[in-house]
Every structure is written in C-alpha cells, then in structure tokens.
Amino acid sequence: MSPQEEKKNKYNEISRKYGDPWIWGIYIMLIIISIVESYSASSREVAKMGIYMPIVKQCIFLGVGALCVIGLMHVDYNHPVFLYIMVPVLALFTVFFLVFVMKFGILVNGARRAVALFPGVTLQPAEMAKLSIVTLLSYIFAKTQKNRDISTSGLVWGGFVVLIYGGLMIKSGLTNTLLLICIAGSMLLIGGARFKKIGILMVFFGFMMGGFLIIKHSNDQKQEVMNEVSAGVASSNDVQVSDLPVANDASKQQNESRMGTWKHRLHDWYYRDSLVYKDITAKNQQEMFSRMAMANGGLIGKGIGQSRECSRLPLAFSDYIFSIIVEEMGFIGGLFVLLLYLSLLGRAAMIVRRSKRVLPSLLVIGMASFITFQALFHMAINVGVFPVSGQPLPLISKGGSSIFVISVAFGVMLSVSRTIANYGNKKNKAEETFEIEGLDAEIPTEIPVKIVWK
C-alpha cells in the first residue's frame, strides 16, 4: 500500500469514527483563540469580577459546548427522535421565547434581547432562532423537493417561516433579520431553487421590511407628537418638572425609539470618514476605540495580552472582540481568523459534494452558512463596512447562549459528515441509517466526483 493510500484510509477511518477532521480542527482552533482573546479583552470584567472569574466562566461555557458537540456527533442526524427535537420542539421553544422577550425581556443596549432563566443565567432567543431557522428550512425544502427543484409550496412555507422569525427579531436588532435572509438564500441555492424563485422571494422580503420600517417610522412620529402635546398640557397646567415622576434608566432605554437608533447609526456609518475629525463621545466611543485598536495592531500586532484599548472599548469581550484580535495579532491574525470561518464554509461545501440527499446537504451548509455569515457581519461592523450593531463573533465572543448554539451547529455538521463517511461501510453495521418517508430526495446540485474526497 502506497503512503498516499495509507493516508487516505487513515483519514476515512477518522471520519467514520469522529466526523470530518477539518471541522474538528477549525472548532479546536476557535476554542483556543476564544480562551486567549476573551481573557485578554476582559479588562472591564476583571475590575468587577476578579482576575480569574471571567476566564473561568468562559471555560465553563466552552466546556458545556464541547460536551454538546461530542454528544451530537454520535447521533444520527436522520434519526426520527433527533429530527423531532431539532425541528418542531426547537421551533416552538424559539417562538415562545421570542414573543416572551418582547414584553418581559431584559434590556440590553436599548432593546429587549435576553430572558432571565436563573440568577446570573440569561438566554438570548435570537441565537436560538438562527439554529431553528436552519433546521426548519432544511426539513421544509427536503419535504417539498420535486423534480430536482423546490416546489412553490416549499418556497411559500420557507418564506413564511423567515417572515415570522424576522418579524419577531427585528426589534431586537436589524442585523439578525438580515442574517436570517442570508441563511435562507444560501440554503435555497443548495436546495436547487431556480434563481427566478429566489429573486422573487428576496424582493418579497425587501417589500415586507420596507413596509415595516415605514409603519414604524409613522408610529414613532405619532408618539413624538403625543409627547409634545402632553408636555404642552402639563406646562399649561403649571405642573413643575420636579413634580413629574422621574423614569429610571431602564424606562428611558425602553422608551427610546429603535428607529431613531437605526437612523443615527446609519448616518454615522455613511459619514464614517469624518470620525477622524470628531471628539470621542459616549455615542461614538465604540467606533472610535475599535478603529484605534485596529490601527495599533498594524501588520503583526502588539502581542497577546498587550492590547491598549481593551480597557476603554465597550463590549471589547463580545461585540468588538475582533478589534482586539487585530490589535494583538495584527492584520495577519485577523486574516487568519477570517480564513478559519471561510474554511468552515468551504469544508461544508465539500461534504455537500459527497452527499446524495437534500436533507444532510441543507443541514450542513445551513449550519456553516449561519456561522460564517455571523462572523462576516461581526467583522464588517468592527472595520466599519456595516453600521454599528451587536453581533458576537461565533465561538470567540463571550456569551453562553451564543457558544451553546454554535456548539450545537458544529455537532450537527460533525454528525452529518460522520454519517456520510459511513455510507457503504460494510464493516460497520451499526451505522445503518434510518429512511424517513418524504426526506429521501436527491440533491439537485450534485456534481459528479472524479477524485477521492479529501
């Protein structure tokens, strides 16, 4: 046996036991970067929680996530119980929490985004929605596959799901809704939908989002007029300002118009070149300090733990951790992190090439797309390509909800790759897959493979 064949056999054996080694490598590398950089970017948390507590919490989150990855890796993605939990049960929980957080959620940066489960433990339903949308669309598109194309009914149901999730999430952050649309578009391409259908669906989403923004703007203007009238009535009745009830900080944040916040961020983004002429204020400090951090990094960076801006940059450990990575590891380090996420998407495409069916193809490309798009959104916000918004860097930013959801996504991808690697393996009878009626459609984008998959 030649060295090349021996290497190929060893690679296939690892894939059959543990899933795709490349995905494992990317996952482990992201964990290492997360531990190092999240601790380095936790200067503000260290002052409040002590020198070791921030890194201990992050390691606990990553450890729980790793257990999820290992557990899901050994579960056949096509098992009925797995599908029932990942599709309808996850969807019901997600919709419930998205509705719940709109009224009773915790205010985070001016919007209700989190639900308190236990003291010190919160859940962000928006992170669950990203996972749920992938499983729902995978199931719908696989069920409605006809003649190597997604049927009109499947397209309608998929559009309905994205519309519901996007409508429930849009108040907590516009980028989350845009992220869902990007995920849906990538899954439509893999599912074999014609470009005409995809175009029609995207135009529909655009009209619906435009209609929402117009209605929201009109309601905000009416609210402003009512506030002015109320202020005028109070003034005419000689009511002293000191006699009026004073709203606490949470109430002020709650009453603040999200439309006004979006307008302000879009304005600052459009005139972002003028930042060099502005003073640092409470409103622009995130942008200013993030640009200063990346400028300090240069080509090779200042070195691990040598960040200067981590103590001044708000949310350096979450929404702006990429700026700290560039400051400490330079342009080369930032490029390396970018390539990790792009490699994940490329590896998912290789798994899709080997797959013969729609369901596993959609699951793996959907999970990889959601992780990669979220990473690209985070990086684009940090470097100023996109307007300011809150979007964690997958598996690197701090946050239990985000780490758990990303870990589940990695577990699903490894489960799919492991099951596919065992197709046709006569030595392992335990790896026989379940055949569920209606979910056995062949992938229409399959490319004949002339060389061995590596």
Side-chain angles (χ1 to χ4, degrees):
M1 183 182 295
S2 65
Q4 186 176 1
E5 291 179 351
E6 184 178 353
K7 183 178 179 181
K8 180 187 67 176
N9 292 335
K10 185 177 180 180
Y11 181 90
N12 291 334
E13 183 180 354
I14 294 174
S15 298
R16 285 192 292 269
K17 288 183 178 180
Y18 307 108
D20 186 71
W22 286 90
I23 294 180
W24 269 114
I26 294 170
Y27 175 73
I28 294 172
M29 187 59 66
L30 289 176
I31 286 181
I32 294 173
I33 296 174
S34 176
I35 294 173
V36 173
E37 291 298 332
S38 63
Y39 181 71
S40 180
S42 299
S43 295
R44 293 194 172 198
E45 284 194 317
V46 166
K48 297 178 181 179
M49 304 169 60
I51 190 170
Y52 295 114
M53 195 59 190
I55 192 63
V56 169
K57 286 183 63 177
Q58 184 72 353
C59 288
I60 291 174
F61 290 146
L62 291 171
V64 173
L67 292 177
C68 292
V69 172
I70 295 172
L72 287 172
M73 177 194 69
H74 290 93
V75 177
D76 186 349
Y77 72 90
N78 203 32
H79 196 286
V81 176
F82 177 80
L83 289 176
Y84 294 152
I85 294 175
M86 290 296 293
V87 181
V89 175
L90 179 60
L92 288 174
F93 271 97
T94 301
V95 172
F96 170 77
F97 280 116
L98 285 175
V99 174
F100 182 86
V101 78
M102 294 174 67
K103 291 294 183 182
F104 307 103
I106 300 173
L107 285 170
V108 180
N109 297 330
R112 295 191 181 275
R113 293 191 174 98
V115 178
L117 299 179
F118 307 102
V121 179
T122 60
L123 172 69
Q124 293 199 11
E127 298 300 322
M128 293 175 57
K130 299 168 188 175
L131 185 66
S132 180
I133 196 76
V134 173
T135 57
L136 266 175
L137 292 181
S138 298
Y139 183 84
I140 291 172
F141 293 159
K143 269 283 190 182
T144 57
Q145 188 80 6
K146 291 183 179 179
N147 299 324
R148 304 180 72 83
D149 183 20
I150 296 175
S151 65
T152 303
S153 62
L155 207 63
V156 171
W157 276 107
F160 177 75
V161 168
V162 175
L163 188 63
I164 294 296
Y165 276 51
L168 292 174
M169 293 172 62
I170 195 167
K171 284 190 175 181
S172 64
L174 188 59
T175 52
N176 284 324
T177 303
L178 295 176
L179 182 59
L180 291 187
I181 294 174
C182 292
I183 295 170
S186 62
M187 295 180 69
L188 282 169
L189 287 173
I190 295 299
R194 302 293 183 260
F195 286 105
K196 182 180 179 181
K197 291 182 178 180
I198 297 176
I200 292 173
L201 191 61
M202 293 303 167
V203 170
F204 171 73
F205 287 152
F207 273 114
M208 294 301 297
M209 185 175 293
F212 169 82
L213 294 177
I214 292 172
I215 295 172
K216 185 74 169 62
H217 179 64
S218 177
N219 290 338
D220 288 342
Q221 286 184 327
K222 291 179 181 179
Q223 185 64 41
E224 290 178 3
V225 172
M226 291 178 64
N227 292 339
E228 292 176 359
V229 171
S230 300
V233 171
S235 177
S236 63
N237 291 333
D238 296 328
V239 178
Q240 298 295 326
V241 175
S242 59
D243 297 332
L244 297 175
V246 179
N248 55 32
D249 293 338
S251 299
K252 290 180 180 179
Q253 287 183 324
Q254 181 178 357
N255 294 329
E256 183 181 357
S257 168
R258 291 299 295 170
M259 180 66 72
T261 302
W262 294 342
K263 285 183 178 178
H264 174 74
R265 288 176 174 178
L266 287 171
H267 178 273
D268 286 351
W269 169 75
Y270 186 77
Y271 296 101
R272 60 189 181 276
D273 292 338
S274 62
L275 285 176
V276 295
Y277 306 109
K278 291 183 178 180
D279 295 328
I280 299 176
T281 64
K283 290 184 177 180
N284 67 11
Q285 60 178 338
Q286 288 182 323
E287 298 166 277
M288 298 292 282
F289 289 136
S290 66
R291 308 290 173 80
M292 292 168 66
M294 289 184 286
N296 290 335
L299 183 63
I300 60 175
K302 296 294 183 180
I304 302 298
Q306 302 299 316
S307 172
R308 186 185 70 181
E309 305 300 332
C310 64
S311 59
R312 300 195 297 173
L313 176 60
L315 302 177
F317 52 84
S318 57
D319 294 349
Y320 283 87
I321 196 169
F322 185 71
S323 298
I324 303 302
I325 291 175
V326 174
E327 182 181 15
E328 295 190 348
M329 301 171 62
F331 172 79
I332 295 176
L335 182 62
F336 175 74
V337 173
L338 172 62
L339 291 176
L340 281 178
Y341 291 108
L342 294 179
S343 299
L344 178 65
L345 187 60
R347 200 60 200 169
M350 294 297 294
I351 295 174
V352 168
R353 284 192 67 196
R354 197 182 185 192
S355 175
K356 304 294 183 181
R357 297 170 56 203
V358 174
L359 181 62
S361 302
L362 291 176
L363 280 174
V364 73
I365 204 67
M367 297 298 177
S369 296
F370 131 56
I371 295 173
T372 305
F373 278 127
Q374 182 171 320
L376 293 177
F377 274 43
H378 174 97
M379 296 176 189
I381 292 167
N382 275 237
V383 302
V385 176
F386 284 0
V388 174
S389 183
Q391 202 64 240
L393 188 60
L395 213 62
I396 295 180
S397 294
K398 285 193 173 182
S401 299
S402 177
I403 290 176
F404 174 76
V405 168
I406 298 298
S407 298
V408 171
F410 268 97
V412 172
M413 286 188 289
L414 288 168
S415 170
V416 172
S417 65
R418 178 174 173 270
T419 307
I420 291 175
N422 279 282
Y423 284 164
N425 182 23
K426 298 179 180 180
K427 296 180 180 180
N428 196 346
K429 298 295 183 182
E431 296 295 338
E432 294 180 359
T433 59
F434 295 84
E435 291 294 339
I436 301 178
E437 185 178 357
L439 294 178
D440 55 352
E442 294 184 357
I443 181 170
T445 55
E446 181 187 351
I447 302 173
V449 182
K450 296 182 179 180
I451 59 175
V452 177
W453 177 62
K454 298 181 180 181

